[in-house]
């Protein structure tokens, strides 16, 4: 029972390799948009707080083993369980800044060798982002940043494959930002594209679904 005359919020997704700076930039962008008076919320996938998210979390920390297809579907399910809430928020005028989304799902699973079309299938019907920002860094440079932790995918050889998967997945609509620039420079570029996107959504750009 939302007011259909309300301008809607934008769905802004940040993607990139581990350590590329998504978390830092997502909180900076949040403060910027909030400071301008926009209604904004941020979230991340995986959302480890749900029961599906807890299964994902224990897999990532090597506390459990799962078949590659199974974990892929759990990551997707973790997005599906947030879908209706996300749509309601967008329609009520709240902009969402999302740290990782379906592109991570496809990039990481296809890097293991799963068929890319199979990987994309369970994402069909999820909300399509209004903006995808890819924070671009080489796996080698990313590895130098404070080093990887102990999680399953935090290994240089695997991150190289993920980088290739992202490359084959991206399209001309993605905004690619050099993630090796100083944090403030990335922040500025991000502010510009994000604000532009928020305005387009306010002006009536309609919500679309994956994969457009
Ligand atoms: N995964 C999947 O397989 N399928 C899916 O569907 C989804 C995810 C959604 C967990 O994700 C894993 O799940 C992830 C993908 C997979 N595995 N990997 N790899 P996660 O979200 O929990 O973890 P993450 O995204 O990989 O990690 P992160 O550690 O939170 O990294 P980050 O957010 O990109 O970076 P950061 O914390 O903002 O910055 C990292 C460090 O770099 C930090 O010390 C910063 O101070 C520094 N930094 C940041 N920016 C700069 C610049 N510009 N210059 C220099 N230093 C910087």
């Amino acid at each position: 029972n939302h007011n259909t005359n309300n301008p809607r919020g934008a769905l802004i997704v940040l993607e990139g390799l581990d350590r590329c700076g998504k978390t830092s930039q997502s909180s900076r962008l949040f403060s910027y948009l909030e400071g301008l008076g926009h209604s904004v919320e941020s979230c991340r996938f995986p959302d480890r707080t749900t029961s599906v998210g807890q299964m994902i979390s224990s897999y990532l920390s090597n506390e459990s083993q799962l078949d590659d297809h199974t974990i892929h579907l759990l990551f997707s399910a973790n997005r599906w369980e947030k879908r209706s809430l996300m749509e309601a928020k967008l329609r009520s005028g709240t902009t969402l800044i999302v740290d990782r989304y379906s592109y991570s799902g496809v990039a990481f699973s296809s890097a293991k060798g799963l068929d890319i079309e199979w990987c994309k299938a369970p994402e069909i019907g999820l909300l399509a982002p209004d903006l995808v920002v890819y924070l671009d860094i080489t796996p080698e440079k990313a590895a130098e940043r404070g080093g990887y932790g102990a999680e399953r995918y935090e290994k240089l050889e695997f991150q190289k494959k993920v980088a290739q998967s992202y490359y084959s997945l991206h399209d001309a609509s993605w905004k690619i930002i050099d993630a090796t620039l100083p944090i403030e420079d990335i922040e500025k570029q991000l502010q510009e594209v994000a604000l532009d996107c928020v305005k387009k959504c306010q002006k009536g750009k309609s919500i679309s679904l994956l994969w457009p």
Side-chain angles (χ1 to χ4, degrees):
N1 55 355
H2 56 270
N3 178 354
T4 47
N5 296 319
N6 266 354
R8 75 165 175 100
L11 180 54
I12 298 173
V13 167
L14 301 184
E15 286 282 0
L17 297 179
D18 185 43
R19 318 255 88 208
C20 68
K22 295 179 282 60
T23 306
S24 322
Q25 292 300 335
S26 130
S27 68
R28 282 163 184 257
L29 181 59
F30 175 89
S31 307
Y32 171 71
L33 292 175
E34 193 183 45
L36 290 178
H38 293 282
S39 165
V40 54
E41 287 184 27
S42 60
C43 64
R44 63 185 309 144
F45 288 109
D47 174 354
R48 303 188 192 217
T49 65
T50 69
S51 51
V52 171
Q54 282 161 25
M55 291 174 74
I56 294 172
S57 189
S58 94
Y59 171 83
L60 287 173
S61 56
N62 292 302
E63 285 158 26
S64 68
Q65 309 303 321
L66 290 170
D67 167 79
D68 291 342
H69 302 80
T70 309
I71 183 65
H72 181 76
L73 294 172
L74 288 178
F75 272 116
S76 183
N78 189 229
R79 283 182 280 281
W80 276 101
E81 57 187 351
K82 287 282 170 296
R83 188 203 179 284
S84 59
L85 184 62
M86 288 171 69
E87 182 172 355
K89 288 193 171 170
L90 291 177
R91 291 200 189 280
S92 75
T94 299
T95 283
L96 302 175
I97 302 168
V98 184
D99 186 345
R100 294 197 182 281
Y101 198 56
S102 303
Y103 311 95
S104 285
V106 178
F108 281 78
S109 293
S110 67
K112 295 174 176 173
L114 298 189
D115 177 71
I116 194 159
E117 293 308 321
W118 186 88
C119 291
K120 288 171 87 170
E123 310 295 318
I124 295 173
L126 288 173
L127 304 169
D130 297 296
L131 173 65
V132 180
V133 175
Y134 184 73
L135 297 179
D136 193 19
I137 189 168
T138 63
E140 290 81 2
K141 280 254 167 68
E144 286 167 15
R145 284 191 180 165
Y148 290 136
E151 287 215 324
R152 191 179 285 265
Y153 298 148
E154 297 178 351
K155 301 195 180 66
L156 183 58
E157 283 316 304
F158 186 66
Q159 294 287 325
K160 286 183 186 169
K161 291 186 181 149
V162 175
Q164 285 171 0
S165 302
Y166 268 125
Y167 187 77
S168 44
L169 201 58
H170 89 286
D171 67 48
S173 71
W174 287 27
K175 171 69 184 173
I176 296 171
I177 299 181
D178 181 352
T180 64
L181 292 172
I183 293 189
E184 294 73 20
D185 294 9
I186 299 168
E187 182 182 7
K188 271 253 146 19
Q189 291 191 36
L190 187 54
Q191 289 175 352
E192 218 170 281
V193 285
L195 193 57
D196 184 57
C197 171
V198 167
K199 284 179 182 162
K200 277 187 184 136
C201 293
Q202 284 178 336
K203 282 182 189 147
K205 176 179 184 263
S206 56
I207 291 177
S208 59
L209 305 178
L210 290 179
W211 297 89

